[in-house]
Amino acid sequence: MNKLRSPTIIDVAREAGVSKSAVSRALLGQGDVSPETLERVLAAADLLGYVPNAMARGLVSQRTMTLGVVLRDSTTQFYGYLQAAMQRRAAKFGYEVVSVTGVDDLTVEDAQKALRSLIALRVDGLIVSSAQLPGEDLVRYAQRVPIVVAGRAEYAEGIVSVHCDEEDGGGQIAEHVVKLGHRNVAVLLMSSDESPNGYTRGQAMIRTLEASGVTVHVMELDAYRAPVGLAVMKTLADPAITALMCPSDITMVNVLEELRVQGIPIPGRLSVTGYDAFGTLAAPFFGFTSFRLPVEEIGTTAIDRVIELIEAGVTSEKRTAIPGVLVPGRTAAPPRR
Amino acid sequence: MNKLRSPTIIDVAREAGVSKSAVSRALLGQGDVSPETLERVLAAADLLGYVPNAMARGLVSQRTMTLGVVLRDSTTQFYGYLQAAMQRRAAKFGYEVVSVTGVDDLTVEDAQKALRSLIALRVDGLIVSSAQLPGEDLVRYAQRVPIVVAGRAEYAEGIVSVHCDEEDGGGQIAEHVVKLGHRNVAVLLMSSDESPNGYTRGQAMIRTLEASGVTVHVMELDAYRAPVGLAVMKTLADPAITALMCPSDITMVNVLEELRVQGIPIPGRLSVTGYDAFGTLAAPFFGFTSFRLPVEEIGTTAIDRVIELIEAGVTSEKRTAIPGVLVPGRTAAPPRR
DNA sequence: CTGAAAGCGCTTACAG
DNA sequence: CTGAAAGCGCTTACAG
């Protein structure tokens, strides 16, 4: 555990018998160096286990080739998938991705702190995926560093966003329920504070159902993980209701547990739908009727946008809504006559 | 999108009408500053939206107060939970956590690249959670920067590790199966290359079963997500076998799907067990019989160890095995007579 | 093709 | 309590 001093460019230069300028050029592969110098530098660097100090490098070059990502909560699978997709895409362009995540849920304060530490690291670009951060906080920094919001639509001045087309998604899954023949449907609606996405998709469901002449029973919900007992009770109390639409797969699992405990047959007595359809809950075994969020494309596109911003200063699109895909399953079926 | 130059300490100094040394002292809160200077500096910094350049700061102070984390694959929930736990703990000590993740699966090469870029950032400590990275690669860097391996036991010289007590875990869940009365049990065993943890826990299951006089049928598996069709077929072909033990919940879900398609009643014809028991698959709705990995404690302890190493140069324990807890569920029951 | 010099934005002794 | 100076480890014009 004796802390060895990390070798610097000076050490490499001494070992190779050249100047540190030569080492820098050789390692960067830019500027001219003789083949012989190149070889000696490479050998010396390897021998010493030299890893260039990114701070010193970034300080002078004013570029870090690093993208910062603020994640709302890494325990939610969406963020894990997003992170992976971003990393994969960024690597293609030679950028590194470093991320800071919240725990349980990122408070506004946490998110601001995370944002600041990423800015302190002077990342070349920032991707924010946290519903909580107010747009104004972003605007303030967006003049200095390119910022892209991933996972929700952002309307603040000068902020680019990439998100799922919730209008389309909520509409598609509601249409699926309509086509199955349901005429009385309960919808669990998220509060818009807690989840703008959940709210938007819920409203889209409601609109689509109503447009088809379906009677809609709206039940409000505070959070994806909020208790659903009451909503389930109210749904079952009305024998006319034959389907229950949830704002997420997590919520759906909670609903299904309530129904299981009460011995309610699914989809016999009640059809149930979710939303998300990726990760472990998307396994065929569960057979959840859901709607797949295009998490991969959201990540990829967010990276593309931020790199456009970094390298060209402008972006091709200010807001990009990416469509997902309906996932029919075994939890929703035509209503029993 | 006009890229504004970020304000530097010089800008703040000018605005406050003091020297940059004074600004530095005021902002760091160390060294003496008059209350008046303090106030003016704070006001100026706030006005300008000053965020200290972490690179410049790190370059001179030789400390970054940042911990680097290499994650195998952020789409696996274990890593998401680990990341969150680490972040939470590190924040308590004033450290920031930045993580680099693999995609799908981190190759040795990816992991090395990730390690190097974190070292280039001159993080104060490193936590590696990737089964693939050879111990020797770690040893090489461990002389320079404290490294802790999280999630697997590491025996390489000078490397500290924190992991689940797989011996105990495999043993406990096997004992549960024994107590239920099974006398003929199939065990899906991971290859040790793919997953040292999976292999260790599998061996522990086998040992425990055999010690109780149970007949064990070992079936090898390449990966957690590998197809399980053949193993399930072989298990069902032998009517004496009444239980099937899986190395993870993910594998278990695949097994259950095979069984569902074939219409095999669970746990009537066959009891099935998993391993992991956190995240979405741990919801009561599923009722999986499993064993909970102490992911929270692994993360917390890993952070504690790396901070000990950074601040004291030594650690209280070289290898820490943390026990998990048995989660009885509805997928395992006494065998049908 | 090469090296000496300046400078990136900070912190930290060091005088005063 | 304050500011001038040195220096962290690099890159980048600039002469040669």
Side-chain angles (χ1 to χ4, degrees):
Chain A
M1 268 317 89
N2 292 324
K3 198 114 156 236
L4 248 61
R5 196 178 56 81
S6 280
T8 72
I9 197 171
I10 302 269
D11 299 317
V12 178
R14 188 184 309 123
E15 179 71 31
V18 298
S19 73
K20 60 176 182 163
S21 315
V23 174
S24 177
R25 269 179 244 123
L27 260 25
L28 253 39
Q30 55 195 33
D32 296 313
V33 259
S34 67
E36 197 203 322
T37 300
L38 179 62
E39 192 182 341
R40 295 176 59 181
V41 168
L42 259 28
D46 189 53
L47 176 72
L48 267 31
Y50 174 69
V51 179
N53 185 322
M55 295 185 294
R57 182 174 269 183
L59 197 56
V60 29
S61 68
Q62 304 283 26
R63 294 274 310 255
T64 54
M65 294 308 284
T66 299
L67 266 21
V69 178
V70 180
L71 259 20
R72 179 173 186 174
D73 173 10
S74 66
T75 65
T76 299
Q77 285 210 286
F78 177 75
Y79 298 102
Y81 275 80
L82 191 66
Q83 196 176 350
M86 289 181 173
Q87 187 111 0
R88 184 186 297 128
R89 186 66 168 189
K92 285 222 174 83
F93 296 99
Y95 285 86
E96 204 65 40
V97 169
V98 300
S99 42
V100 179
T101 177
V103 287
D104 304 328
D105 214 346
L106 203 63
T107 61
V108 175
E109 214 172 284
D110 289 341
Q112 279 164 338
K113 240 185 80 184
L115 206 59
R116 282 179 68 93
S117 51
L118 255 11
I119 289 176
L121 286 170
R122 295 299 190 268
V123 293
D124 293 337
L126 227 27
I127 289 149
V128 175
S129 187
S130 153
Q132 309 290 359
L133 252 193
E136 320 128 39
D137 276 324
L138 297 178
V139 172
R140 181 167 191 207
Y141 293 114
Q143 310 168 277
R144 285 189 209 161
V145 54
I147 300 186
V148 171
V149 168
R152 76 158 200 258
E154 172 60 55
Y155 299 91
E157 171 77 25
I159 310 285
V160 172
S161 62
V162 179
H163 59 98
C164 174
D165 189 340
E166 302 284 357
E167 289 289 340
D168 171 70
Q172 275 200 49
I173 192 158
E175 207 160 298
H176 179 65
V177 169
V178 169
K179 281 199 182 130
L180 287 172
H182 297 274
R183 306 300 298 160
N184 254 282
V185 176
V187 173
L188 288 183
L189 181 65
M190 291 290 298
S191 85
S192 63
D193 289 347
E194 261 312 301
S195 167
N197 284 344
Y199 180 78
T200 306
R201 77 179 62 138
Q203 289 294 357
M205 290 175 196
I206 293 167
R207 248 196 323 280
T208 303
L209 292 169
E210 285 178 342
S212 305
V214 170
T215 305
V216 179
H217 308 260
V218 177
M219 317 204 174
E220 310 217 342
L221 206 62
D222 284 343
Y224 286 125
R225 301 181 200 236
V228 293
L230 186 65
V232 168
M233 206 180 73
K234 280 165 63 182
T235 301
L236 292 174
D238 183 346
I241 302 179
T242 56
L244 173 59
M245 303 192 68
C246 303
S248 76
D249 288 345
I250 299 267
T251 307
M252 180 191 207
V253 167
N254 291 336
V255 163
L256 290 174
E257 172 65 0
E258 285 286 336
L259 296 168
R260 185 190 70 81
V261 169
Q262 297 189 37
I264 310 294
I266 307 299
R269 163 69 182 87
L270 198 67
S271 281
V272 184
T273 65
Y275 204 99
D276 284 348
F278 57 79
T280 45
L281 296 185
F285 174 61
F286 302 121
F288 292 154
T289 297
S290 188
F291 187 84
R292 176 160 300 134
L293 235 41
V295 51
E296 182 79 28
E297 296 88 328
I298 292 175
T300 302
T301 308
I303 291 294
D304 289 351
R305 292 285 176 275
V306 82
I307 292 180
E308 287 172 12
L309 245 23
I310 293 170
E311 301 187 346
V314 292
T315 184
S316 49
E317 260 180 82
K318 180 150 170 33
R319 270 190 303 280
T320 309
I322 300 179
V325 37
L326 181 72
V327 179
R330 304 188 302 273
T331 58
R336 201 162 49 183
R337 307 262 114 227
Chain B
M1 268 319 84
N2 292 325
K3 197 114 155 235
L4 248 59
R5 196 178 55 84
S6 280
T8 72
I9 197 171
I10 301 270
D11 299 318
V12 178
R14 187 183 309 122
E15 180 71 30
V18 297
S19 74
K20 60 177 181 163
S21 316
V23 174
S24 177
R25 271 179 243 123
L27 260 24
L28 254 38
Q30 53 195 35
D32 296 314
V33 258
S34 67
E36 198 203 320
T37 300
L38 179 63
E39 193 182 340
R40 297 176 58 182
V41 168
L42 259 28
D46 188 54
L47 176 72
L48 265 33
Y50 174 68
V51 179
N53 185 322
M55 294 185 295
R57 181 173 270 183
L59 197 56
V60 29
S61 68
Q62 304 282 28
R63 294 273 310 255
T64 54
M65 295 309 284
T66 298
L67 266 20
V69 177
V70 180
L71 258 21
R72 179 174 185 172
D73 172 11
S74 65
T75 66
T76 300
Q77 284 208 287
F78 176 76
Y79 297 103
Y81 274 78
L82 191 66
Q83 196 176 349
M86 290 181 172
Q87 188 111 0
R88 184 186 298 130
R89 185 67 168 188
K92 285 221 174 82
F93 296 99
Y95 285 85
E96 203 65 41
V97 169
V98 301
S99 42
V100 179
T101 177
V103 288
D104 303 330
D105 213 346
L106 202 64
T107 62
V108 174
E109 213 172 285
D110 289 341
Q112 279 164 339
K113 239 185 81 184
L115 204 59
R116 282 180 67 92
S117 51
L118 255 11
I119 289 177
L121 249 21
R122 295 298 188 268
V123 292
D124 293 337
L126 226 29
I127 288 149
V128 175
S129 188
S130 154
Q132 310 290 357
L133 252 193
E136 322 130 38
D137 277 323
L138 297 178
V139 173
R140 181 166 191 208
Y141 292 114
Q143 309 169 277
R144 280 186 213 166
V145 54
I147 301 186
V148 171
V149 168
R152 75 159 201 258
E154 172 61 54
Y155 299 91
E157 172 75 26
I159 309 287
V160 172
S161 61
V162 180
H163 59 98
C164 173
D165 190 341
E166 302 285 357
E167 290 288 340
D168 171 68
Q172 275 200 49
I173 192 159
E175 206 160 299
H176 179 66
V177 169
V178 170
K179 279 197 184 134
L180 287 172
H182 297 274
R183 307 301 298 163
N184 252 282
V185 176
V187 173
L188 288 182
L189 181 66
M190 292 288 299
S191 85
S192 62
D193 289 348
E194 262 311 302
S195 165
N197 285 345
Y199 180 77
T200 306
R201 76 179 63 138
Q203 289 294 355
M205 290 176 195
I206 293 167
R207 249 196 323 279
T208 303
L209 293 169
E210 286 178 341
S212 305
V214 170
T215 306
V216 179
H217 308 261
V218 178
M219 317 205 173
E220 311 216 342
L221 207 62
D222 284 343
Y224 286 125
R225 300 181 200 236
V228 294
L230 187 65
V232 167
M233 206 180 73
K234 280 165 64 183
T235 301
L236 292 174
D238 184 347
I241 302 179
T242 57
L244 172 59
M245 303 191 69
C246 303
S248 76
D249 288 346
I250 299 267
T251 307
M252 180 191 209
V253 167
N254 291 336
V255 163
L256 290 174
E257 171 65 0
E258 284 286 336
L259 295 169
R260 185 190 70 81
V261 169
Q262 295 189 38
I264 310 295
I266 306 298
R269 162 69 183 86
L270 198 67
S271 281
V272 184
T273 65
Y275 204 100
D276 285 346
F278 57 78
T280 44
L281 296 185
F285 174 61
F286 301 122
F288 292 155
T289 297
S290 188
F291 186 85
R292 178 160 300 133
L293 235 42
V295 51
E296 183 79 27
E297 296 87 329
I298 291 176
T300 302
T301 309
I303 292 292
D304 289 350
R305 291 286 176 273
V306 82
I307 292 179
E308 287 172 11
L309 246 23
I310 293 170
E311 301 187 346
V314 291
T315 184
S316 49
E317 262 181 81
K318 185 157 166 27
R319 270 190 301 281
T320 309
I322 300 179
V325 37
L326 181 72
V327 179
R330 304 188 303 273
T331 57
R336 200 163 49 185
R337 308 263 109 228

